[in-house]
Amino acid sequence: MSVSNKLKIAVIGGDGTGPEVTAEALKVLAAVASRDGISYETTDFDFGGERYLRTGETLPKGAVDELKKFDAIYLGAVGHPDVAPGILEKGLLLELRFQLDQYINLRPVKLYPGVETPLSGKKPEDIDFVVVRENTEDMYAGIGGFLKKHTADEVATQTAIYTRKGCERCIRWAFEFTRKRNNPKGKRLTLVAKTNVLTYGHDLWWRTFQDVAKEYSDVEADYNHVDACCMWMVKNPEYYDVIVTTNMFGDIITDLGAMIQGGMGVAAGGNLNPDPGGTSMFEPMGGSAPKYTGKNVINPIAAIGAAAMLLEQTGHEASGLSILKAIQIVTGTKMKSQAAGKMGYSTTEVGDLVIAALDT
Ligand code: IPM
Ligand code: MN
């Protein structure tokens, strides 16, 4: 991760409600930066569905090279009702993840005070773990094709690829992260995979996990099959500290995670390139929610949480944590619900409340 004296942030507000939640995140960032003396600058990029409809381009030529010059990218949301599914996902989000080699997808699953979880009887102290998802390989690599397309004999392949380098750097990062997180209940890293069926690709993951674990004797190296993990996440989420998993399974279990932490309005994530000079990207998990656009009712908590992660990952850990603390004051003592239009406050008011809570 590159950390310069002046933090350079590329901002892609994106589509639908993306720009509205981004504005709240940047508002909170500005308040914290001025309080903590963090010098930063933002540059806006208009990538997303609107631009695609206008120009036919998802990422214009040279855009990736331009973005590489930034310390971090803040992404509001991309997704447009008039753009076919897959175009923006593949042409923008996945393209950036791959081209910027953001090999870690970091998804904290944390139930904030006052937030309703569908898991009855579970409290904030029970739902507090982190998923480290590999972010560049697996079925996402885009390897495959059709044979005899549009005929009765059609064949399609979609190949999952796993490399030693790809899984090792992710697993190693996850062990380091678990060590640093230093859970007072005990440091545990759970590999989530499907070694009983995926006996080649996940065997590579399993062997690599065992090898790297030898260097981290202070961390319990644990394993769950992915189907069992789905059961435990619902039944015993308190079991988990940090999970490391493959790209496809990580995609699925992090949505389950988002639901148990109170929904898309609160879940934030980071796509990290932790290497020196790497550019990471931070985003709220909820989509562009076009039907709420311009109504000032969408929940900005996830977006503000993504800004907190941005600070944490760019060398401003204490400032990031202070945003997380303020968020929890607001969810715990102010907001009525995390659902759009039911918060008891508007989007901009929730941003104001977080700022007001920063110094309490
Ligand atoms: C996510 C999203 C993306 C993914 C989509 C939009 C391509 O679901 O970040 O989890 O599948 O990774
Ligand atoms: Mn997903």
Side-chain angles (χ1 to χ4, degrees):
M1 190 90 40
S2 88
V3 181
S4 48
N5 289 335
K6 185 168 207 173
L7 193 58
K8 290 178 71 199
I9 305 172
V11 177
I12 306 172
D15 301 312
T17 52
E20 288 169 60
V21 294
T22 299
E24 296 316 301
L26 294 180
K27 195 165 95 181
V28 174
L29 184 69
V32 172
S34 103
R35 183 196 66 185
D36 298 351
I38 300 169
S39 120
Y40 76 103
E41 64 184 25
T42 61
T43 307
D44 288 319
F45 291 87
D46 66 349
F47 307 147
E50 292 290 345
R51 183 189 172 117
Y52 173 75
L53 291 171
R54 225 172 43 237
T55 66
E57 283 173 330
T58 45
L59 279 173
K61 214 166 165 284
V64 172
D65 287 335
E66 185 62 26
L67 289 171
K68 277 186 184 159
K69 296 180 194 150
F70 289 83
D71 298 304
I73 302 169
Y74 187 91
L75 176 69
V78 291
H80 195 290
D82 301 336
V83 179
I87 293 184
L88 296 170
E89 289 88 338
K90 278 185 94 162
L92 203 107
L93 189 61
L94 297 182
E95 193 61 22
L96 287 177
R97 286 179 184 172
F98 294 149
Q99 297 269 358
L100 299 172
D101 204 20
Q102 294 166 339
Y103 58 88
I104 302 293
N105 190 311
L106 188 64
R107 278 279 297 106
V109 178
K110 185 172 171 62
L111 179 65
Y112 297 140
V115 174
E116 207 181 323
T117 172
L119 304 186
S120 75
K122 297 298 178 189
K123 303 199 164 42
E125 58 270 28
D126 300 320
I127 302 177
D128 187 1
F129 61 95
V130 179
V131 179
V132 177
R133 163 187 170 191
E134 200 288 323
N135 213 26
T136 56
E137 302 193 335
D138 204 348
M139 276 185 272
Y140 277 77
I143 293 174
F146 297 108
L147 185 66
K148 301 183 184 174
K149 195 174 180 187
H150 299 310
T151 73
D153 298 322
E154 178 161 359
V155 178
T157 62
Q158 189 90 48
T159 305
I161 64 130
Y162 306 99
T163 66
R164 172 77 196 204
K165 176 183 163 189
C167 64
E168 184 167 343
R169 64 185 181 175
C170 177
I171 288 167
R172 190 174 296 283
W173 193 91
F175 270 108
E176 285 292 332
F177 180 83
T178 310
R179 177 177 274 172
K180 193 159 164 256
R181 179 170 148 94
N182 197 15
N183 188 337
K185 290 190 283 182
K187 300 189 276 285
R188 173 187 285 148
L189 178 63
T190 305
L191 170 64
V192 169
K194 189 73 181 173
T195 54
N196 54 346
V197 175
L198 306 181
T199 51
Y200 309 116
H202 289 200
D203 184 66
L204 174 61
W205 269 78
W206 167 255
R207 282 182 286 114
T208 306
F209 186 72
Q210 300 304 312
D211 286 348
V212 178
K214 292 183 192 124
E215 298 166 38
Y216 296 88
S217 55
D218 54 321
V219 176
E220 181 196 343
D222 178 43
Y223 175 82
N224 281 177
H225 289 318
V226 66
D227 45 352
C229 169
C230 291
M231 299 197 304
W232 297 132
M233 268 173 72
V234 171
K235 195 168 186 293
N236 293 320
E238 62 277 10
Y239 176 80
Y240 293 110
D241 177 14
V242 181
I243 288 174
V244 63
T245 190
T246 56
N247 204 347
M248 189 76 252
F249 290 168
D251 177 48
I252 298 164
I253 68 169
T254 53
D255 268 21
L256 179 53
M259 284 303 117
I260 68 172
Q261 77 183 113
M264 290 300 183
V266 293
N271 301 274
L272 315 182
N273 177 337
D275 296 343
T279 301
S280 302
M281 177 165 72
F282 301 85
E283 48 172 345
M285 299 317 294
S288 58
K291 70 175 178 184
Y292 297 118
T293 306
K295 297 198 158 75
N296 201 16
V297 295
I298 195 80
N299 188 346
I301 289 292
I304 298 168
M309 288 180 81
L310 186 155
L311 286 176
E312 274 182 69
Q313 295 294 330
T314 50
H316 304 284
E317 207 167 353
S319 304
L321 284 175
S322 81
I323 297 181
L324 273 188
K325 215 178 107 213
I327 286 176
Q328 293 178 66
I329 292 171
V330 174
T331 60
T333 64
K334 303 280 183 193
M335 295 171 77
K336 292 195 179 67
S337 157
Q338 299 301 312
K342 299 185 178 147
M343 301 184 291
Y345 298 92
S346 66
T347 306
T348 44
E349 282 169 341
V350 172
D352 293 340
L353 286 170
V354 174
I355 291 173
L358 278 172
D359 293 312
T360 53

